[in-house]
Amino acid sequence: MIIVVLAFLVLMALGVPIVLALGSPVALYILISGDVPIVVIAHRFYSGLNNFTLLAIPFFVLAGLLMEAGGLSRRIVDFASSLVGWIQGGLLMVAVVASTALAAMSGSGSADAAAVSAVLQPELRRRHYEIDFAAALIAASATLAQIIPPSLMLVIIAIQNNLSVGALFLGGVLPGLIACVLLMVVAFLHARTRPELAASLETFSLRRVAASFVRAIPAMGLGVVILGGIIGGFMTPTEAAGVAVVYATAIGFLVYRELRLAELPRLLTRAAYFSAGLLLLVAAANVLNWLVTTSGDLERLAGALGAVLQTKLTFLLGVNVVLMLLGMFIEGIALILLLGGLLIELGTALGIDPHQMALIIVFNCAVGLITPPFGATLFVTSMVAERPFVAVARRAFMPWLALTTALAAVSIFPELTLALPRLSGFLG
Amino acid sequence: MPARLLTALALVRRVFRLATILCLVVMTLSITVQVVGRYLLSFPIADAVEISTFAQVWLVLLGAGIACRHDALFTVDLFGQRLPPVLHRLRGWLILACGSVFLGLLLWGSFSLLGLGLRQRAPTLQIPMIWIYAALPIGFLYFWIELAVRSLDLEPALSAEARNGETR
């Protein structure tokens, strides 16, 4: 199995799509070993897809696209702008607050990053903000979509490890809010070093706040429907995701009237192929996981790691360092599918709650979205800002530090993750 | 690539695109009916779970080829477009080789699964499972075709905008 994992890493580094880099060594291993019926492999792949909870992924992707096309995202950015745009460095604050608000409605950070960037970029330039830093900050804020519910990564790790999606969703709320506050502090400190930004401050107007709030109510209702539905026990996360699609469509068509019927096929196709790309990975990983589990290699690896990392603190430190490094090179969802099960098993043996461990893993993967050389959301914001990726990446240190500080807090204090799920009855 | 093949491929793409859209619509409607049925009409609609899950299976397998065509397969690209043409071609062959091994094995396995599907029935809908398992060979075959076209640059380069334009 070690050869399979090494082959996967080499093929992935050579630019082979991850699903094929993962699947081809597994296929060769099965063919050579000859002790697994081929039909089992096809069936494992099928059963990886035949999962009701996974439906949340295409739904949240589609809901994100509908929010952007239907004008919902723009209303939320406008409201955030009226709320915090008057503070020094206000537009940066707007970016953080709007991203956090969008994170509570969408499961995809890239879509949020694109939406916030596209709306704010012209204004950031007009007011002479440092574009590279702003792009890096927007990218960091957009990673909150993976921590604040609903989150695609949380859905995937919950399914992979038979954890409660609802508990994980609630567990992500406090860590996400802490990260949001820390990113706002970074924005404020940056603005203080640029006194010229003070000259372009908006004045605070309660009337404007009220007007933009009223305009954003239908858009923000989406968050209420999703989170209220899940926390209130009216809907499962999957059902809430489906209802989010219907809600975003209705608001885009009937209230804001920005969604066009002719646009729907394009949005549906985009959601379909993006979801297919993601879920193929889940199905291929299901084959690998089955193979690893049946081979007994997982237990051996767990035993070896457990012998080295014997206390909670060394384990968590080791996990965070390794995941942070791997997250620089490996796509977050692939990382979860490869290591999520093993790390949760090891953590549980050391007395770490699996939900806390899952949040720590997802948080690391989220931070990986802004660390070069493969920071996915950093790519999105640098593209929208029309700036070189390297220039934006150079300014990502402070936002990265803010996220890493929040991650450290989540690792040290389990209650940050577990308090809300316990209060809501999701955990005993 | 011969023009006749390109025309046939365009037709296949159109069918697959429409089918994936249909799957997504069916999934959304099933879930909505399930939620509405439970709370507003006060009756459970058990079939909705199975319909939407099966639609998802079809969506992913039919959408795999489309994802490949739109470069939506998750890839870690260390070299980007910086590779010299010879190495770029070599990488294309490597990707196709990996795809052929993996998809070939899955295709082989899925034919055996079709045989099982003739005797198996879906727990709730009670339809023969062959209707669901059929998505596997069809999807894997189309995925492989798109992979070959992309990896070996078999058709004139289309811009992303032009590719998106096809979806309208």
Side-chain angles (χ1 to χ4, degrees), chain A residues 11-20 23-24 27-28 30-31 38-39 41-43 45-46 49-52 54-55 58-59 62 233-235 238-239 242-243 245-246 265-266 268-269 271-281 284 329-331 374, chain B residues 17 20-21 24-25 27-28 31-32 34-35 38-39 49 52-54 56-57 59-61 63-64 66-67 70 72-79 91 94-95 98-99 101-103 105-106 108-110 112-113 116 129 132-133 136 140 143 147 164 167-168:
Chain A
L11 288 172
M12 189 175 62
L14 288 173
V16 175
I18 297 173
V19 62
L20 303 179
S24 52
L28 278 178
I30 289 165
L31 282 174
I38 305 299
V39 68
I41 303 309
H43 192 263
F45 192 91
Y46 162 79
L49 298 174
N50 186 26
N51 185 327
F52 180 70
L54 276 181
L55 263 81
F59 287 149
L62 181 57
F234 302 112
M235 290 181 269
T238 308
E239 290 170 345
V243 171
V245 169
V246 178
R266 184 179 63 83
L268 285 164
T269 310
Y273 69 68
F274 182 81
S275 307
L278 199 58
L279 292 173
L280 277 176
L281 208 53
F329 301 95
I330 302 178
E331 200 280 325
F374 304 113
Chain B
R17 211 166 43 239
T20 51
I21 290 175
L24 204 45
V25 171
M27 284 160 63
T28 311
I31 290 288
T32 311
Q34 188 184 336
V35 175
R38 196 168 58 225
Y39 288 108
V49 173
S52 53
T53 314
F54 289 161
Q56 172 175 255
V57 173
L59 169 87
V60 175
L61 289 158
I66 304 175
H70 287 266
L73 297 177
F74 286 66
T75 305
V76 171
D77 199 350
L78 276 177
F79 307 105
R91 184 171 63 176
L94 175 70
I95 292 171
C98 288
V101 169
F102 185 44
L103 297 176
L105 185 91
L106 286 172
W108 180 6
S110 62
S112 310
L113 208 55
L116 289 174
M129 282 301 288
I132 320 306
Y133 293 150
L136 284 106
F140 294 142
F143 186 5
L147 192 69
N164 284 335
T167 64
R168 284 179 187 148

Side-chain angles (χ1 to χ4, degrees), chain A residues 89-101:
Chain A
L91 274 185
L92 297 176
M93 301 277 186
V94 172
V96 177
V97 173
S99 296
T100 308

Side-chain angles (χ1 to χ4, degrees), chain A residues 303-353:
Chain A
L305 282 174
V308 180
L309 307 168
Q310 287 182 330
T311 66
K312 261 190 204 180
L313 194 67
T314 53
F315 176 75
L316 286 174
L317 191 66
V319 164
N320 279 322
V321 170
V322 168
L323 284 181
M324 197 80 83
L325 289 173
L326 288 176
M328 292 167 75
F329 301 95
I330 302 178
E331 200 280 325
I333 288 169
L335 199 54
I336 289 172
L337 293 170
L338 269 182
L339 292 177
L342 171 70
L343 293 177
I344 287 178
E345 196 173 303
L346 283 173
T348 308
L350 286 169
I352 300 167
D353 188 280

